[in-house]
């Protein structure tokens, strides 16, 4: 299985267009060693020819342009994308669908609650019906949550319901439903490689922890370093866990969770522009490295 990190940033990317925090100001001026990042999305393929797009970032056009295998030239109009998996209905994971409107129908795999959000509170799918259209493939949550994607049958997907936050326009914002946010377990039976992907994590139960231990690569929520990161910078009063994200530091933080896992390769994704780990010379970045935890970057390529 080949995993391509198309975008590694959280909503707004890095630098964020209207932000002058130390990170955004520093990377613009070239004053800190840091890489710009687009909003989070990955591509998955078993053969390097047919690809599954996981989340459609607002930056998807630039992400596809930067990765030629997803834009083959076999016909006048062509794409290597056979399906699009949405792990939630957040703006930074779904509005890229509008950038793909010329191709259709788009084969979209998502849960019932996500489909509801995208036809009501943020009706992207209803808008797309006026263009190439979409075909909805419901992701099951009952049973073992396993499903396949037409055109990428050699990969096995399993949906993992997670505790996180539905977006503000969702009817479930203050009434969580199973399927508002999912993680993905993806297996390539040919190699035995297993990925666990969860860019949004509000808490980790024993079932999720077990999935992490049994994976070869864990790619999870790297949004904030501290619980009060936004408040310290005077940006917002809300804390990391209120926004549905486990911070890396502090009791019960991602460092404490990931460091003891041992076996899997541990990678953070969906990194907010305020997070000090974006500065590659920061003490926070050194702390991650000492714990064997990597920070994803746009263009990162992983083979399992």
């Amino acid at each position: 299985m080949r995993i391509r990190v198309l975008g590694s940033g959280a909503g707004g990317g890095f630098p964020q267009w209207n932000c002058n925090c130390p990170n955004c100001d520093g990377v613009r001026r070239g004053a800190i060693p840091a890489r710009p990042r687009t909003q989070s999305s990955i591509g998955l393929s078993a053969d390097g020819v047919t690809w599954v797009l996981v989340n459609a970032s607002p930056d998807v056009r630039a992400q596809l342009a930067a990765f030629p295998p997803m834009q083959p030239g076999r016909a006048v109009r062509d794409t290597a994308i056979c399906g699009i998996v949405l792990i939630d209905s957040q703006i930074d994971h779904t509005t890229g669908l509008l950038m793909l409107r010329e191709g259709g129908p788009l084969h979209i795999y998502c849960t019932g609650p996500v489909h509801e959000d995208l036809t009501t509170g943020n009706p992207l799918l209803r808008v797309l019906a006026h263009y190439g259209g979409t075909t909805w493939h419901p992701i099951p949550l009952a049973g073992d949550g396993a499903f396949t994607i037409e055109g990428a049958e050699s990969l096995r997907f399993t949906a993992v319901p997670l505790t996180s936050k539905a977006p503000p326009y969702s009817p479930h914002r203050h009434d969580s439903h199973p399927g508002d946010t999912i993680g993905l377990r993806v297996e390539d039976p040919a190699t035995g490689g297993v990925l666990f992907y969860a860019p949004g994590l509000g808490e980790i139960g024993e079932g999720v922890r077990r999935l992490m231990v049994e994976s070869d690569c864990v790619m999870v929520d790297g949004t904030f370093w501290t619980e009060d990161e936004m408040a310290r910078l005077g940006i917002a009063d809300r804390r990391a866990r209120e926004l549905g994200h486990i911070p890396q530091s502090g009791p019960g933080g991602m460092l404490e969770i990931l460091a003891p896992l041992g076996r899997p390769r541990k990678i953070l994704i969906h990194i907010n522009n305020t997070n000090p780990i974006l500065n590659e010379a920061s003490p926070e970045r050194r702390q991650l490295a000492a714990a064997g935890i990597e920070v994803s970057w746009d263009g990162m390529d992983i083979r399992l």
Side-chain angles (χ1 to χ4, degrees):
M1 171 168 45
R2 185 175 177 186
I3 305 158
R4 177 75 174 196
V5 176
L6 300 170
S8 53
F14 174 62
Q16 184 170 303
W17 68 277
N18 66 337
C19 186
N20 292 307
C21 72
N23 281 343
C24 291
D25 178 61
V27 75
R28 284 195 194 100
R29 293 190 296 109
I32 62 171
R35 310 183 198 207
R37 285 165 163 81
T38 58
Q39 295 165 91
S40 71
S41 176
I42 63 171
L44 300 171
S45 180
D47 58 11
V49 176
T50 303
W51 290 81
V52 175
L53 179 66
V54 183
N55 293 330
S57 146
D59 302 312
V60 68
R61 185 180 179 279
Q63 291 169 346
L64 296 180
F67 188 50
M70 295 184 88
Q71 180 52 63
R74 300 167 295 191
V76 175
R77 293 288 176 95
D78 195 16
T79 179
I81 301 170
C82 62
I84 303 168
V85 179
L86 304 177
I87 59 106
D88 57 33
S89 58
Q90 299 284 352
I91 282 177
D92 52 321
H93 288 155
T94 59
T95 49
L97 294 172
L98 296 174
M99 305 302 108
L100 304 177
R101 65 190 180 277
E102 294 88 356
L106 302 174
H107 289 270
I108 296 174
Y109 294 74
C110 66
T111 66
V114 169
H115 186 265
E116 179 185 359
D117 289 350
L118 296 180
T119 52
T120 57
N122 184 19
L124 293 178
L125 301 185
R126 291 169 59 190
V127 172
L128 286 167
H130 298 281
Y131 296 90
T134 63
T135 299
W136 176 38
H137 303 264
I139 291 179
L141 294 174
D144 63 4
F147 65 100
T148 57
I149 292 177
E150 187 176 347
E153 290 88 354
S154 51
L155 293 177
R156 295 177 183 170
F157 293 79
T158 304
V160 183
L162 299 176
T163 300
S164 192
K165 278 281 189 182
Y169 44 79
S170 171
H172 311 148
R173 177 65 170 180
H174 303 292
D175 176 26
S176 296
H177 283 50
D180 283 337
T181 302
I182 61 169
L184 287 177
R185 180 188 185 273
V186 187
E187 180 182 4
D188 184 347
T191 64
V194 176
L195 167 71
F196 179 71
Y197 177 69
L201 269 174
E203 68 180 53
I204 295 178
E206 195 50 46
V208 170
R209 192 183 302 270
R210 186 170 60 252
L211 282 171
M212 288 181 172
V213 170
E214 294 170 353
S215 298
D216 297 292
C217 180
V218 171
M219 189 174 285
V220 292
D221 193 334
T223 309
F224 298 116
W225 179 257
T226 60
E227 181 71 18
D228 61 349
E229 185 172 305
M230 302 283 273
R232 286 187 185 186
L233 291 167
I235 294 172
D237 293 332
R238 303 190 66 191
R239 299 169 74 82
R241 286 181 173 84
E242 288 180 72
L243 294 167
H245 299 286
I246 300 172
Q248 278 104 66
S249 63
M254 204 63 80
L255 257 169
E256 189 177 282
I257 293 162
L258 294 179
L261 293 186
R263 174 174 175 256
R265 185 175 177 183
K266 301 172 279 287
I267 304 172
L268 299 176
I269 195 167
H270 194 271
I271 303 150
N272 201 57
N273 65 87
T274 55
N275 194 326
I277 66 174
L278 289 170
N279 183 339
E280 297 173 15
S282 66
E284 293 85 358
R285 188 65 170 261
R286 290 194 295 273
Q287 194 173 342
L288 289 179
I293 300 170
E294 301 174 60
V295 179
S296 64
W297 45 275
D298 291 22
M300 187 180 197
D301 213 71
I302 301 158
R303 312 282 178 127
L304 297 179

